[in-house]
Amino acid sequence: MREAKQTGNPERSNKGARRRVRLLAFAMVGFLTWAALILWNQQGRLGVKAAQVEELMQKQAETVKLNEGYKKEIDRLNDPEYILQKIRKEYHYSRPGETLFYTPKSP
């Protein structure tokens, strides 16, 4: 009889081990599913942020070019000859004794 009891115990412990393995496998599948969903969500956010960074980099490049143009204009405005040239061109001023001729712009 003792032999019958001993042979029954391994089957029961084997069932318990199988249940624990199944439970562990189910928990692992659940965890991996959750981790995959989090990763998927973060990849989407990363793509959006990368597009925003690219757009901001382009705006920065445009702003740097504009700033350089303004710096050049400021340097040129410190030159009296440039100021005279600009006034003559934009405001149609002339020196004494000069005659200005206007040409009509074609439509």
Side-chain angles (χ1 to χ4, degrees):
M1 283 205 172
R2 287 185 179 177
E3 292 178 12
K5 289 182 181 178
Q6 288 178 356
T7 58
N9 284 337
E11 291 177 10
R12 287 184 186 171
S13 66
N14 200 9
K15 283 185 179 181
R18 285 184 183 175
R19 285 182 187 168
R20 280 178 280 201
V21 168
R22 284 183 195 159
L23 182 63
L24 181 63
F26 182 73
M28 288 297 291
V29 167
F31 175 75
L32 291 175
T33 303
W34 172 79
L37 288 174
I38 294 297
L39 181 66
W40 180 273
N41 189 18
Q42 287 179 353
Q43 288 294 328
R45 287 182 183 177
L46 185 62
V48 169
K49 293 294 182 184
Q52 288 176 349
V53 166
E54 184 67 31
E55 183 180 336
L56 289 174
M57 293 292 280
Q58 289 175 354
K59 285 183 180 179
Q60 182 189 17
E62 291 172 6
T63 304
V64 167
K65 282 184 180 179
L66 191 61
N67 191 19
E68 288 174 1
Y70 287 147
K71 285 181 181 179
K72 285 182 182 178
E73 185 69 19
I74 288 171
D75 289 340
R76 293 174 78 188
L77 285 172
N78 289 329
D79 185 18
E81 289 181 25
Y82 177 73
I83 293 173
L84 288 174
Q85 182 184 13
K86 191 168 179 118
I87 288 173
R88 289 179 69 185
K89 184 177 180 181
E90 290 181 7
Y91 300 109
H92 306 291
Y93 284 120
S94 63
R95 293 183 181 166
E98 284 185 342
T99 305
L100 292 177
F101 295 100
Y102 296 103
T103 55
K105 295 181 181 178
S106 4

